[in-house]
Amino acid sequence: MTVQRILIVSGTHGNEINPVWAVKKFNREENILNHCIEYECVIGNPVAYEKGYRYIDVDLNRSFKATKNHDQYNNSAYEINRANFLVDQFGIHGSKPCQIAIDLHTTTANMGTSIVLYGRRFKDFCLAALLQNKFGLPIYLHEKDKAQTGFLVEAWPCGLVIEIGAVAQNFYDPKIIDRFLIIIRSLREEIDKLKNNLIELPKELVVHVHQGSVDYPRDEKGYIDGLIHPERINQDWKMIKKGDPLFLDSQGIIHKYNGEELIWPVFIGEVAYKEKKIAMSYTKKEVISSNNQWVYEFESL
């Protein structure tokens, strides 16, 4: 039987240190070939991790569209070269090929333990369904955003992000480390059960589909002139309807949601997104019926 290899990436953002600790602890455990599934672990951005920075030149988790000298990018950037290296080493045609990539992240937003998917690949849906079924995790389906592309897991045939928060950057939280370990340890077991017909996928996959992002209120000079409203802080995944408060500006004016459709916000106040002019992102809830094709494509990896 073909050996299936899972790439576990921590430290894609160098100031998200809890995943790195979790993977180090995981690597101390016995990582033998088990049911023809094994792990390959790597720190995505080791230089940024050593310095405690999110990145050195550009965001590594937006750099994978630039692999193989994409003309749009200046390949003197450290992260562009790092993206090329990771694909050359661990990509499906690399020297240590992996079929699945799991990218571990933390957030300063109150996202809890969640899954992030990029696009609607059947293999990703299958893997996400396994984890949602076991742990009940919410899923953020990030699509339809041309300003945000080139994510790490998109460079592998199958992959997803595990996102856990809230935790400050460069701060260790043992509880969050334990959450990562629980999920990493469970991957091989759940995949093995699926391959041996010991479990079935749930009939439905519940996802929150990205609709867009909103910036903080700003003054005429472009400086932030409003804070997230107290009623909205730490309310990720909680429904918003028309008229609900979003921001409170320096003059005491409440900025409200004026859309007609119900939305669910995510990454509320994520510190790293201020540079991207994102205060929060909006999603809509969607229920996707499971498909046998998901399992077929996943098992063909």
Side-chain angles (χ1 to χ4, degrees), residues 134-180:
K134 183 174 179 63
F135 299 111
L137 305 181
I139 296 173
Y140 175 34
L141 176 53
H142 193 289
E143 60 180 7
K144 303 176 183 177
D145 189 344
K146 295 180 180 179
Q148 305 241 21
T149 57
F151 298 101
L152 183 150
V153 298
E154 293 181 297
W156 275 261
C158 174
L160 52 78
V161 167
I162 302 298
E163 187 88 51
I164 304 181
V167 64
Q169 297 166 348
N170 288 311
F171 178 82
Y172 286 114
D173 186 327
K175 291 182 180 179
I176 285 181
I177 290 169
D178 285 344
R179 290 191 217 169
F180 279 118

Side-chain angles (χ1 to χ4, degrees), residues 10-20 49 53-54 104-107 163 168-170 270 272:
S10 62
T12 301
H13 294 137
N15 57 5
E16 297 174 9
I17 60 177
N18 290 277
V20 178
Y49 170 68
Y53 299 164
R54 181 174 173 86
L104 307 180
H105 288 260
T106 57
T107 172
E163 187 88 51
Q169 297 166 348
N170 288 311
E270 164 58 55

